[in-house]
Amino acid sequence: TMPFRHKNTRRIEGLDSNVWVEFTKVAADPSIVNLGQGLPDISPPSYVKEELAKVAAVDRLNQYTRGFGHPSLVKALSQVYEKVCGRKINPLTDILVTVGAYGSLFSTIQALIEEGDEVIIIEPFYDCYEPMVKMAGAKPVFIPLRCKNDGNSASSADWVLDPAELANKFNSKTKAIILNTPHNPIGKVFTREELQVIADLCIKHDTLCISDEVYEWLVYKGNKHIKIATLPGMWERTVTIGSAGKTYSVTGWKLGWSIGPEYLIKHLQVVHQNSLYTCPTPLQEALAQAFWVDYRRMDDPDCYFYSLSRELESKRDRMAQLLREAGLKPVVPDGGYFMIVDVSTLNVDLSDVDEKQPYDYKFVKWMIASKKLSAIPLSAFCGPETKKQFEKYIRFCFIKKDSTLDAAEVILKNWNKKTG
Amino acid sequence: QTHFLSHSLQAKMSRPVQARRLEGIDKNIWVEFVKLATTYSKVNLGQGFPDFPAPAFLTEAFRRAVSGENHMLHQYTRAFGHPPLVKVLAQLFEKLLGRELDPMTNVMVTVGAYQALFCCFQALVDEGDEVIIIEPFFDCYEPMVKMAGGTPVFVPLRPNPPKDGKLMSSADWQLDPAELASKFSERTKAIVLNSPNNPLGKVFSRGELGLIAELCVKHDVLCISDEVYEWLVYDGKQHIRIASLPGMWDRTVTIGSAGKTFSATGWKVGWVVGPDRLLQHLRTVHQNSVYHCATIAQEAVAQGFQRELTLYGKPESYFVQLPKELQQKRDWLVQSLDGVGMKPIIPEGTYFLVADISQFKSDVPDVPNSDEPYDHRFAKWMIKNKGLAAIPLSAFYSEAHKNNYTNFIRFCFAKEEATLKAANDILQKWKQEKNSS
């Protein structure tokens, strides 16, 4: 027989492995307390579910809608974001609805990035940025967040970019920088000053900014989420990405959006019309209705955008406390629903385990097997050069119901009772 | 601060901001025609979606999933397909293909069949690869091949009108075997097959599929088989899956659609079925582009399929009832069109039919040297002046061949009786106007 000549295309060479495929399988065992993948186990708000239940009964909402976004949804998004950004947003030209923020990242990168381009990615990064940039034929250029207190970090605010180091990463080939604020996994909420440093460089080098702001509503006391697109000179070069999954605790609805100037969004729309054409109608309609509910109360503390944040802040504080009681030093996040922690202080000896994986991968697998608690290794979120820097950290997700956190508490309290 | 732009900045700013892969794929017929239909049409037989409801058992399943106890259905499910759905798809297609299937490796769920097509081209077509596309074709194949850096190579279905003057059938549109063979070269990576075919409604026969299969095996070419209308076949015809032909399983990706199967196009649930060594590459594209598909719709579709599996072949099966209903609607529309002088090509499958409008040319005069093919102008005129929306057949041809068949328009008949009656009223009135002028 002839050897099978049909291999993968060049664009996906080396992009087949994925941390989630590995770890969601491992943690699928229901006896394991799963604080790994970023998936709420709390219920979405009931009005959100009710809107979706209502929608299924409307016949025409089970058929195709407008490709670039269901009209009532793009209208609602434009209203919400006009209020937030303080500028007019055209629902038909400045917005694209996508299959999750993931789909927005893909559409943006495929539309605007190509071979010969460089894209700056801040480490640690949500893992899909690197393969998506590579799939577009471009070169990822990494720059790490560094802990300013010599590794002694108590807060996500301790993790900062070195402005000189950042400036050095920009050159004539730099097409875009990917910004993620609030940041996954560290939970950093970039300050206005930090954003200004990035903005200045984008303007100086005529670089685009892809701003992943899926956790935009999840910022804790003392912090404010600032949209880089609202800084002078930035609207025209920024695509801002949002997520229904993170906004309404419905990750399984897989709806996201890209917002930006028409002359950029139109290219995302071309990618969209040639890749999946439309997003599901009933989910978009239900989401639009949910947005109207919260749009009307955006000046009210009961608005879900703020109430979810308050709920998560107490879970954050509880998680941090549990980790401290186990003898660990968590990095308390200013935003998002993840928390990283340095586990090297536990001195768990894994030198007899297969050496090819970084320490944190081995640690998490060991922790799942022996402690029945799962997390995600931080080196999954790093480029090749910084794996050593981050391999002592693991990431916990705390958007979990009380009983899950109770179960985690039992494990962490008993941690030191067994030998490591 | 600089008062002059640096040389490299100038160079950057003079380059287009968008990537080269978007070149030549920005236009889209639907954007124009959907807008026209929304603005002008009283009766829309244009875009392909039903105006009758999705079956109650399906929408019930959706509601149950939304409001049920398991609120985790609102969260991510397995990226390559919700387990209940891939399991039931594997069970069903095992039956249909006559081979064992692993739900985890031989099936993947996608955002509609559209995204399945996208994954195929991105995973398997590299720059310089040729992909054979049979004309007329569902319009997205061409731009998708181009976006993947491939070169589309077109081969037409040619009409062989029956000598007895009867109405043509979609079966009368055929590939010329020698012409098809000539399209295969060393650079041919894949052929795209669409059976039942949109827009003609052709259901490829076993012989025709055998021809294609032989060439695929001979030239070691892949087959991307778009079978979204697999259940919509009429007159007792059988839909044959090319993946079940000798030598084809290992080189075929078969694509399906819940939207077409269950009359719920807005749910955007599709799938691919094929060998692991091809699907593994589709999984790589999927995990780097959308990653997960929405959970709830998958849960509801899974339940829909479970019902169909238990009712398979029985009269209450939706797969039996839907084509029966649609066949009646087809016959109705055929009569309607024939009655006014449009010559319908009777489709063997799908919910589309194409009609020859040459006898209506007096209403919309030809414009010599016009940029726009005649059928385009005719369809636009018809929407605006008669309120009846249909799609010009040239929309389903490559740029080079758009002027080969300019007297045909495509109607969608997946419509309520009232809609088809209203269309008939428009056509009758039109005929009367022509006769009296």
mmCIF file with all atom_site columns, all heavy atoms in Angstrom, chain A residues 5 11 20 63-64 110 114 175 206 251-252, chain B residues 13 17 20-21 75 148 220 260 265 291:
data_model
loop_
_atom_site.group_PDB
_atom_site.id
_atom_site.type_symbol
_atom_site.label_atom_id
_atom_site.label_alt_id
_atom_site.label_comp_id
_atom_site.label_asym_id
_atom_site.label_entity_id
_atom_site.label_seq_id
_atom_site.pdbx_PDB_ins_code
_atom_site.Cartn_x
_atom_site.Cartn_y
_atom_site.Cartn_z
_atom_site.occupancy
_atom_site.B_iso_or_equiv
_atom_site.pdbx_formal_charge
_atom_site.auth_seq_id
_atom_site.auth_comp_id
_atom_site.auth_asym_id
_atom_site.auth_atom_id
_atom_site.pdbx_PDB_model_num
ATOM 1   N N   . ARG A 1 5   ? -0.241  9.955  2.198  1.00 0.00 ? 5   ARG A N   1
ATOM 2   C CA  . ARG A 1 5   ? 0.472   11.209 2.012  1.00 0.00 ? 5   ARG A CA  1
ATOM 3   C C   . ARG A 1 5   ? -0.267  12.404 2.600  1.00 0.00 ? 5   ARG A C   1
ATOM 4   O O   . ARG A 1 5   ? 0.238   13.508 2.587  1.00 0.00 ? 5   ARG A O   1
ATOM 5   C CB  . ARG A 1 5   ? 0.709   11.461 0.521  1.00 0.00 ? 5   ARG A CB  1
ATOM 6   C CG  . ARG A 1 5   ? -0.577  11.770 -0.234 1.00 0.00 ? 5   ARG A CG  1
ATOM 7   C CD  . ARG A 1 5   ? -0.290  12.354 -1.618 1.00 0.00 ? 5   ARG A CD  1
ATOM 8   N NE  . ARG A 1 5   ? -1.526  12.459 -2.397 1.00 0.00 ? 5   ARG A NE  1
ATOM 9   C CZ  . ARG A 1 5   ? -2.012  13.600 -2.860 1.00 0.00 ? 5   ARG A CZ  1
ATOM 10  N NH1 . ARG A 1 5   ? -1.390  14.732 -2.615 1.00 0.00 ? 5   ARG A NH1 1
ATOM 11  N NH2 . ARG A 1 5   ? -3.127  13.613 -3.569 1.00 0.00 ? 5   ARG A NH2 1
ATOM 12  N N   . ARG A 1 11  ? 0.001   25.174 8.316  1.00 0.00 ? 11  ARG A N   1
ATOM 13  C CA  . ARG A 1 11  ? -0.460  26.178 9.278  1.00 0.00 ? 11  ARG A CA  1
ATOM 14  C C   . ARG A 1 11  ? -0.755  25.611 10.659 1.00 0.00 ? 11  ARG A C   1
ATOM 15  O O   . ARG A 1 11  ? -0.737  26.360 11.633 1.00 0.00 ? 11  ARG A O   1
ATOM 16  C CB  . ARG A 1 11  ? -1.687  26.930 8.731  1.00 0.00 ? 11  ARG A CB  1
ATOM 17  C CG  . ARG A 1 11  ? -2.956  26.090 8.616  1.00 0.00 ? 11  ARG A CG  1
ATOM 18  C CD  . ARG A 1 11  ? -4.132  26.909 8.080  1.00 0.00 ? 11  ARG A CD  1
ATOM 19  N NE  . ARG A 1 11  ? -3.871  27.443 6.764  1.00 0.00 ? 11  ARG A NE  1
ATOM 20  C CZ  . ARG A 1 11  ? -4.105  26.802 5.607  1.00 0.00 ? 11  ARG A CZ  1
ATOM 21  N NH1 . ARG A 1 11  ? -4.612  25.584 5.627  1.00 0.00 ? 11  ARG A NH1 1
ATOM 22  N NH2 . ARG A 1 11  ? -3.836  27.374 4.452  1.00 0.00 ? 11  ARG A NH2 1
ATOM 23  N N   . TRP A 1 20  ? -5.633  21.876 27.883 1.00 0.00 ? 20  TRP A N   1
ATOM 24  C CA  . TRP A 1 20  ? -6.983  21.569 28.361 1.00 0.00 ? 20  TRP A CA  1
ATOM 25  C C   . TRP A 1 20  ? -7.365  20.137 28.050 1.00 0.00 ? 20  TRP A C   1
ATOM 26  O O   . TRP A 1 20  ? -7.983  19.457 28.866 1.00 0.00 ? 20  TRP A O   1
ATOM 27  C CB  . TRP A 1 20  ? -8.001  22.535 27.740 1.00 0.00 ? 20  TRP A CB  1
ATOM 28  C CG  . TRP A 1 20  ? -7.557  23.920 27.954 1.00 0.00 ? 20  TRP A CG  1
ATOM 29  C CD1 . TRP A 1 20  ? -7.075  24.790 27.017 1.00 0.00 ? 20  TRP A CD1 1
ATOM 30  C CD2 . TRP A 1 20  ? -7.437  24.593 29.212 1.00 0.00 ? 20  TRP A CD2 1
ATOM 31  N NE1 . TRP A 1 20  ? -6.689  25.954 27.610 1.00 0.00 ? 20  TRP A NE1 1
ATOM 32  C CE2 . TRP A 1 20  ? -6.887  25.866 28.950 1.00 0.00 ? 20  TRP A CE2 1
ATOM 33  C CE3 . TRP A 1 20  ? -7.730  24.236 30.530 1.00 0.00 ? 20  TRP A CE3 1
ATOM 34  C CZ2 . TRP A 1 20  ? -6.646  26.786 29.951 1.00 0.00 ? 20  TRP A CZ2 1
ATOM 35  C CZ3 . TRP A 1 20  ? -7.488  25.161 31.539 1.00 0.00 ? 20  TRP A CZ3 1
ATOM 36  C CH2 . TRP A 1 20  ? -6.957  26.426 31.244 1.00 0.00 ? 20  TRP A CH2 1
ATOM 37  N N   . GLN A 1 63  ? -34.254 29.725 13.350 1.00 0.00 ? 63  GLN A N   1
ATOM 38  C CA  . GLN A 1 63  ? -33.661 29.783 12.009 1.00 0.00 ? 63  GLN A CA  1
ATOM 39  C C   . GLN A 1 63  ? -32.549 30.835 11.969 1.00 0.00 ? 63  GLN A C   1
ATOM 40  O O   . GLN A 1 63  ? -32.363 31.601 12.910 1.00 0.00 ? 63  GLN A O   1
ATOM 41  C CB  . GLN A 1 63  ? -34.738 30.081 10.959 1.00 0.00 ? 63  GLN A CB  1
ATOM 42  C CG  . GLN A 1 63  ? -35.940 29.161 10.988 1.00 0.00 ? 63  GLN A CG  1
ATOM 43  C CD  . GLN A 1 63  ? -35.597 27.673 10.863 1.00 0.00 ? 63  GLN A CD  1
ATOM 44  O OE1 . GLN A 1 63  ? -34.567 27.291 10.287 1.00 0.00 ? 63  GLN A OE1 1
ATOM 45  N NE2 . GLN A 1 63  ? -36.437 26.816 11.424 1.00 0.00 ? 63  GLN A NE2 1
ATOM 46  N N   . TYR A 1 64  ? -31.818 30.838 10.853 1.00 0.00 ? 64  TYR A N   1
ATOM 47  C CA  . TYR A 1 64  ? -30.686 31.757 10.683 1.00 0.00 ? 64  TYR A CA  1
ATOM 48  C C   . TYR A 1 64  ? -31.042 33.200 11.041 1.00 0.00 ? 64  TYR A C   1
ATOM 49  O O   . TYR A 1 64  ? -32.129 33.670 10.748 1.00 0.00 ? 64  TYR A O   1
ATOM 50  C CB  . TYR A 1 64  ? -30.235 31.795 9.223  1.00 0.00 ? 64  TYR A CB  1
ATOM 51  C CG  . TYR A 1 64  ? -29.609 30.550 8.676  1.00 0.00 ? 64  TYR A CG  1
ATOM 52  C CD1 . TYR A 1 64  ? -30.048 30.022 7.465  1.00 0.00 ? 64  TYR A CD1 1
ATOM 53  C CD2 . TYR A 1 64  ? -28.558 29.910 9.324  1.00 0.00 ? 64  TYR A CD2 1
ATOM 54  C CE1 . TYR A 1 64  ? -29.469 28.892 6.916  1.00 0.00 ? 64  TYR A CE1 1
ATOM 55  C CE2 . TYR A 1 64  ? -27.976 28.768 8.786  1.00 0.00 ? 64  TYR A CE2 1
ATOM 56  C CZ  . TYR A 1 64  ? -28.434 28.269 7.585  1.00 0.00 ? 64  TYR A CZ  1
ATOM 57  O OH  . TYR A 1 64  ? -27.869 27.139 7.043  1.00 0.00 ? 64  TYR A OH  1
ATOM 58  N N   . GLN A 1 110 ? -6.836  36.087 12.377 1.00 0.00 ? 110 GLN A N   1
ATOM 59  C CA  . GLN A 1 110 ? -6.877  35.673 10.975 1.00 0.00 ? 110 GLN A CA  1
ATOM 60  C C   . GLN A 1 110 ? -7.080  36.862 10.041 1.00 0.00 ? 110 GLN A C   1
ATOM 61  O O   . GLN A 1 110 ? -6.596  36.873 8.917  1.00 0.00 ? 110 GLN A O   1
ATOM 62  C CB  . GLN A 1 110 ? -8.014  34.663 10.754 1.00 0.00 ? 110 GLN A CB  1
ATOM 63  C CG  . GLN A 1 110 ? -7.699  33.279 11.285 1.00 0.00 ? 110 GLN A CG  1
ATOM 64  C CD  . GLN A 1 110 ? -6.735  32.515 10.386 1.00 0.00 ? 110 GLN A CD  1
ATOM 65  O OE1 . GLN A 1 110 ? -6.926  32.436 9.180  1.00 0.00 ? 110 GLN A OE1 1
ATOM 66  N NE2 . GLN A 1 110 ? -5.686  31.968 10.960 1.00 0.00 ? 110 GLN A NE2 1
ATOM 67  N N   . GLU A 1 114 ? -0.477  38.151 9.614  1.00 0.00 ? 114 GLU A N   1
ATOM 68  C CA  . GLU A 1 114 ? -0.039  37.196 8.606  1.00 0.00 ? 114 GLU A CA  1
ATOM 69  C C   . GLU A 1 114 ? 1.469   36.961 8.693  1.00 0.00 ? 114 GLU A C   1
ATOM 70  O O   . GLU A 1 114 ? 2.151   37.539 9.531  1.00 0.00 ? 114 GLU A O   1
ATOM 71  C CB  . GLU A 1 114 ? -0.422  37.666 7.218  1.00 0.00 ? 114 GLU A CB  1
ATOM 72  C CG  . GLU A 1 114 ? 0.161   39.004 6.851  1.00 0.00 ? 114 GLU A CG  1
ATOM 73  C CD  . GLU A 1 114 ? -0.327  39.498 5.496  1.00 0.00 ? 114 GLU A CD  1
ATOM 74  O OE1 . GLU A 1 114 ? -0.924  38.711 4.741  1.00 0.00 ? 114 GLU A OE1 1
ATOM 75  O OE2 . GLU A 1 114 ? -0.116  40.670 5.207  1.00 0.00 ? 114 GLU A OE2 1
ATOM 76  N N   . LYS A 1 175 ? 3.013   43.857 14.346 1.00 0.00 ? 175 LYS A N   1
ATOM 77  C CA  . LYS A 1 175 ? 1.683   44.160 13.831 1.00 0.00 ? 175 LYS A CA  1
ATOM 78  C C   . LYS A 1 175 ? 0.707   44.465 14.958 1.00 0.00 ? 175 LYS A C   1
ATOM 79  O O   . LYS A 1 175 ? -0.149  45.312 14.846 1.00 0.00 ? 175 LYS A O   1
ATOM 80  C CB  . LYS A 1 175 ? 1.159   42.987 12.996 1.00 0.00 ? 175 LYS A CB  1
ATOM 81  C CG  . LYS A 1 175 ? -0.124  43.277 12.228 1.00 0.00 ? 175 LYS A CG  1
ATOM 82  C CD  . LYS A 1 175 ? 0.110   44.285 11.138 1.00 0.00 ? 175 LYS A CD  1
ATOM 83  C CE  . LYS A 1 175 ? -1.182  44.768 10.500 1.00 0.00 ? 175 LYS A CE  1
ATOM 84  N NZ  . LYS A 1 175 ? -1.738  43.849 9.500  1.00 0.00 ? 175 LYS A NZ  1
ATOM 85  N N   . ASP A 1 206 ? 2.783   52.436 15.297 1.00 0.00 ? 206 ASP A N   1
ATOM 86  C CA  . ASP A 1 206 ? 1.595   52.132 14.486 1.00 0.00 ? 206 ASP A CA  1
ATOM 87  C C   . ASP A 1 206 ? 1.214   50.659 14.609 1.00 0.00 ? 206 ASP A C   1
ATOM 88  O O   . ASP A 1 206 ? 1.078   49.947 13.611 1.00 0.00 ? 206 ASP A O   1
ATOM 89  C CB  . ASP A 1 206 ? 1.831   52.514 13.018 1.00 0.00 ? 206 ASP A CB  1
ATOM 90  C CG  . ASP A 1 206 ? 0.540   52.449 12.210 1.00 0.00 ? 206 ASP A CG  1
ATOM 91  O OD1 . ASP A 1 206 ? -0.553  52.604 12.809 1.00 0.00 ? 206 ASP A OD1 1
ATOM 92  O OD2 . ASP A 1 206 ? 0.609   52.205 10.988 1.00 0.00 ? 206 ASP A OD2 1
ATOM 93  N N   . THR A 1 251 ? -20.600 29.845 30.264 1.00 0.00 ? 251 THR A N   1
ATOM 94  C CA  . THR A 1 251 ? -19.505 29.548 29.332 1.00 0.00 ? 251 THR A CA  1
ATOM 95  C C   . THR A 1 251 ? -19.975 28.636 28.191 1.00 0.00 ? 251 THR A C   1
ATOM 96  O O   . THR A 1 251 ? -19.441 28.688 27.093 1.00 0.00 ? 251 THR A O   1
ATOM 97  C CB  . THR A 1 251 ? -18.323 28.875 30.056 1.00 0.00 ? 251 THR A CB  1
ATOM 98  O OG1 . THR A 1 251 ? -18.773 27.662 30.660 1.00 0.00 ? 251 THR A OG1 1
ATOM 99  C CG2 . THR A 1 251 ? -17.729 29.799 31.115 1.00 0.00 ? 251 THR A CG2 1
ATOM 100 N N   . GLY A 1 252 ? -21.000 27.830 28.465 1.00 0.00 ? 252 GLY A N   1
ATOM 101 C CA  . GLY A 1 252 ? -21.497 26.903 27.448 1.00 0.00 ? 252 GLY A CA  1
ATOM 102 C C   . GLY A 1 252 ? -22.348 27.544 26.367 1.00 0.00 ? 252 GLY A C   1
ATOM 103 O O   . GLY A 1 252 ? -22.765 26.871 25.422 1.00 0.00 ? 252 GLY A O   1
ATOM 104 N N   . MET B 2 13  ? 2.416   51.718 7.239  1.00 0.00 ? 13  MET B N   1
ATOM 105 C CA  . MET B 2 13  ? 1.120   52.365 7.068  1.00 0.00 ? 13  MET B CA  1
ATOM 106 C C   . MET B 2 13  ? 0.641   52.292 5.623  1.00 0.00 ? 13  MET B C   1
ATOM 107 O O   . MET B 2 13  ? -0.549  52.407 5.372  1.00 0.00 ? 13  MET B O   1
ATOM 108 C CB  . MET B 2 13  ? 1.199   53.820 7.546  1.00 0.00 ? 13  MET B CB  1
ATOM 109 C CG  . MET B 2 13  ? 1.208   53.908 9.060  1.00 0.00 ? 13  MET B CG  1
ATOM 110 S SD  . MET B 2 13  ? 1.701   55.512 9.693  1.00 0.00 ? 13  MET B SD  1
ATOM 111 C CE  . MET B 2 13  ? 0.254   56.471 9.360  1.00 0.00 ? 13  MET B CE  1
ATOM 112 N N   . VAL B 2 17  ? -4.113  46.999 6.127  1.00 0.00 ? 17  VAL B N   1
ATOM 113 C CA  . VAL B 2 17  ? -4.099  46.487 7.493  1.00 0.00 ? 17  VAL B CA  1
ATOM 114 C C   . VAL B 2 17  ? -4.508  45.004 7.539  1.00 0.00 ? 17  VAL B C   1
ATOM 115 O O   . VAL B 2 17  ? -4.072  44.266 8.420  1.00 0.00 ? 17  VAL B O   1
ATOM 116 C CB  . VAL B 2 17  ? -5.012  47.350 8.400  1.00 0.00 ? 17  VAL B CB  1
ATOM 117 C CG1 . VAL B 2 17  ? -6.497  47.137 8.027  1.00 0.00 ? 17  VAL B CG1 1
ATOM 118 C CG2 . VAL B 2 17  ? -4.788  47.055 9.864  1.00 0.00 ? 17  VAL B CG2 1
ATOM 119 N N   . ARG B 2 20  ? -3.364  39.058 3.765  1.00 0.00 ? 20  ARG B N   1
ATOM 120 C CA  . ARG B 2 20  ? -3.512  38.701 2.346  1.00 0.00 ? 20  ARG B CA  1
ATOM 121 C C   . ARG B 2 20  ? -4.494  37.552 2.138  1.00 0.00 ? 20  ARG B C   1
ATOM 122 O O   . ARG B 2 20  ? -5.101  37.456 1.071  1.00 0.00 ? 20  ARG B O   1
ATOM 123 C CB  . ARG B 2 20  ? -2.154  38.307 1.751  1.00 0.00 ? 20  ARG B CB  1
ATOM 124 C CG  . ARG B 2 20  ? -1.309  39.496 1.337  1.00 0.00 ? 20  ARG B CG  1
ATOM 125 C CD  . ARG B 2 20  ? 0.006   39.026 0.719  1.00 0.00 ? 20  ARG B CD  1
ATOM 126 N NE  . ARG B 2 20  ? 0.780   38.241 1.662  1.00 0.00 ? 20  ARG B NE  1
ATOM 127 C CZ  . ARG B 2 20  ? 1.802   38.691 2.374  1.00 0.00 ? 20  ARG B CZ  1
ATOM 128 N NH1 . ARG B 2 20  ? 2.184   39.950 2.260  1.00 0.00 ? 20  ARG B NH1 1
ATOM 129 N NH2 . ARG B 2 20  ? 2.447   37.901 3.210  1.00 0.00 ? 20  ARG B NH2 1
ATOM 130 N N   . ARG B 2 21  ? -4.682  36.716 3.148  1.00 0.00 ? 21  ARG B N   1
ATOM 131 C CA  . ARG B 2 21  ? -5.579  35.575 2.973  1.00 0.00 ? 21  ARG B CA  1
ATOM 132 C C   . ARG B 2 21  ? -7.020  36.012 2.710  1.00 0.00 ? 21  ARG B C   1
ATOM 133 O O   . ARG B 2 21  ? -7.842  35.212 2.272  1.00 0.00 ? 21  ARG B O   1
ATOM 134 C CB  . ARG B 2 21  ? -5.525  34.637 4.185  1.00 0.00 ? 21  ARG B CB  1
ATOM 135 C CG  . ARG B 2 21  ? -6.080  35.205 5.478  1.00 0.00 ? 21  ARG B CG  1
ATOM 136 C CD  . ARG B 2 21  ? -6.011  34.166 6.602  1.00 0.00 ? 21  ARG B CD  1
ATOM 137 N NE  . ARG B 2 21  ? -4.664  33.798 6.970  1.00 0.00 ? 21  ARG B NE  1
ATOM 138 C CZ  . ARG B 2 21  ? -3.878  34.479 7.800  1.00 0.00 ? 21  ARG B CZ  1
ATOM 139 N NH1 . ARG B 2 21  ? -4.315  35.592 8.370  1.00 0.00 ? 21  ARG B NH1 1
ATOM 140 N NH2 . ARG B 2 21  ? -2.651  34.049 8.060  1.00 0.00 ? 21  ARG B NH2 1
ATOM 141 N N   . GLN B 2 75  ? -22.656 25.399 30.862 1.00 0.00 ? 75  GLN B N   1
ATOM 142 C CA  . GLN B 2 75  ? -21.187 25.567 30.877 1.00 0.00 ? 75  GLN B CA  1
ATOM 143 C C   . GLN B 2 75  ? -20.557 24.757 29.746 1.00 0.00 ? 75  GLN B C   1
ATOM 144 O O   . GLN B 2 75  ? -21.229 23.981 29.070 1.00 0.00 ? 75  GLN B O   1
ATOM 145 C CB  . GLN B 2 75  ? -20.619 25.151 32.239 1.00 0.00 ? 75  GLN B CB  1
ATOM 146 C CG  . GLN B 2 75  ? -21.258 25.842 33.439 1.00 0.00 ? 75  GLN B CG  1
ATOM 147 C CD  . GLN B 2 75  ? -21.266 27.362 33.351 1.00 0.00 ? 75  GLN B CD  1
ATOM 148 O OE1 . GLN B 2 75  ? -20.423 27.979 32.701 1.00 0.00 ? 75  GLN B OE1 1
ATOM 149 N NE2 . GLN B 2 75  ? -22.242 27.983 34.009 1.00 0.00 ? 75  GLN B NE2 1
ATOM 150 N N   . ALA B 2 148 ? -7.623  29.185 2.319  1.00 0.00 ? 148 ALA B N   1
ATOM 151 C CA  . ALA B 2 148 ? -6.638  28.181 2.742  1.00 0.00 ? 148 ALA B CA  1
ATOM 152 C C   . ALA B 2 148 ? -5.430  28.167 1.820  1.00 0.00 ? 148 ALA B C   1
ATOM 153 O O   . ALA B 2 148 ? -4.535  27.342 1.970  1.00 0.00 ? 148 ALA B O   1
ATOM 154 C CB  . ALA B 2 148 ? -7.290  26.807 2.792  1.00 0.00 ? 148 ALA B CB  1
ATOM 155 N N   . ASP B 2 220 ? -5.149  9.304  -5.414 1.00 0.00 ? 220 ASP B N   1
ATOM 156 C CA  . ASP B 2 220 ? -4.938  9.504  -3.981 1.00 0.00 ? 220 ASP B CA  1
ATOM 157 C C   . ASP B 2 220 ? -5.394  10.888 -3.543 1.00 0.00 ? 220 ASP B C   1
ATOM 158 O O   . ASP B 2 220 ? -4.642  11.684 -2.968 1.00 0.00 ? 220 ASP B O   1
ATOM 159 C CB  . ASP B 2 220 ? -3.455  9.298  -3.623 1.00 0.00 ? 220 ASP B CB  1
ATOM 160 C CG  . ASP B 2 220 ? -3.237  9.256  -2.111 1.00 0.00 ? 220 ASP B CG  1
ATOM 161 O OD1 . ASP B 2 220 ? -4.224  9.013  -1.370 1.00 0.00 ? 220 ASP B OD1 1
ATOM 162 O OD2 . ASP B 2 220 ? -2.102  9.489  -1.654 1.00 0.00 ? 220 ASP B OD2 1
ATOM 163 N N   . LYS B 2 260 ? -30.364 21.348 8.931  1.00 0.00 ? 260 LYS B N   1
ATOM 164 C CA  . LYS B 2 260 ? -31.119 20.817 7.805  1.00 0.00 ? 260 LYS B CA  1
ATOM 165 C C   . LYS B 2 260 ? -31.879 19.557 8.202  1.00 0.00 ? 260 LYS B C   1
ATOM 166 O O   . LYS B 2 260 ? -32.972 19.317 7.745  1.00 0.00 ? 260 LYS B O   1
ATOM 167 C CB  . LYS B 2 260 ? -30.199 20.492 6.621  1.00 0.00 ? 260 LYS B CB  1
ATOM 168 C CG  . LYS B 2 260 ? -29.278 21.629 6.223  1.00 0.00 ? 260 LYS B CG  1
ATOM 169 C CD  . LYS B 2 260 ? -30.055 22.816 5.668  1.00 0.00 ? 260 LYS B CD  1
ATOM 170 C CE  . LYS B 2 260 ? -29.123 23.807 5.030  1.00 0.00 ? 260 LYS B CE  1
ATOM 171 N NZ  . LYS B 2 260 ? -28.592 24.807 5.991  1.00 0.00 ? 260 LYS B NZ  1
ATOM 172 N N   . THR B 2 265 ? -32.184 25.699 11.443 1.00 0.00 ? 265 THR B N   1
ATOM 173 C CA  . THR B 2 265 ? -30.931 26.234 10.895 1.00 0.00 ? 265 THR B CA  1
ATOM 174 C C   . THR B 2 265 ? -30.237 27.200 11.861 1.00 0.00 ? 265 THR B C   1
ATOM 175 O O   . THR B 2 265 ? -29.031 27.364 11.834 1.00 0.00 ? 265 THR B O   1
ATOM 176 C CB  . THR B 2 265 ? -31.176 26.974 9.563  1.00 0.00 ? 265 THR B CB  1
ATOM 177 O OG1 . THR B 2 265 ? -32.090 28.055 9.787  1.00 0.00 ? 265 THR B OG1 1
ATOM 178 C CG2 . THR B 2 265 ? -31.738 26.038 8.504  1.00 0.00 ? 265 THR B CG2 1
ATOM 179 N N   . TYR B 2 291 ? -12.910 26.138 19.474 1.00 0.00 ? 291 TYR B N   1
ATOM 180 C CA  . TYR B 2 291 ? -12.673 25.261 20.622 1.00 0.00 ? 291 TYR B CA  1
ATOM 181 C C   . TYR B 2 291 ? -13.929 24.508 21.066 1.00 0.00 ? 291 TYR B C   1
ATOM 182 O O   . TYR B 2 291 ? -13.998 23.300 20.941 1.00 0.00 ? 291 TYR B O   1
ATOM 183 C CB  . TYR B 2 291 ? -12.033 26.030 21.768 1.00 0.00 ? 291 TYR B CB  1
ATOM 184 C CG  . TYR B 2 291 ? -11.388 25.146 22.804 1.00 0.00 ? 291 TYR B CG  1
ATOM 185 C CD1 . TYR B 2 291 ? -10.971 23.855 22.483 1.00 0.00 ? 291 TYR B CD1 1
ATOM 186 C CD2 . TYR B 2 291 ? -11.167 25.586 24.093 1.00 0.00 ? 291 TYR B CD2 1
ATOM 187 C CE1 . TYR B 2 291 ? -10.387 23.029 23.423 1.00 0.00 ? 291 TYR B CE1 1
ATOM 188 C CE2 . TYR B 2 291 ? -10.581 24.773 25.052 1.00 0.00 ? 291 TYR B CE2 1
ATOM 189 C CZ  . TYR B 2 291 ? -10.198 23.497 24.708 1.00 0.00 ? 291 TYR B CZ  1
ATOM 190 O OH  . TYR B 2 291 ? -9.625  22.686 25.650 1.00 0.00 ? 291 TYR B OH  1
#
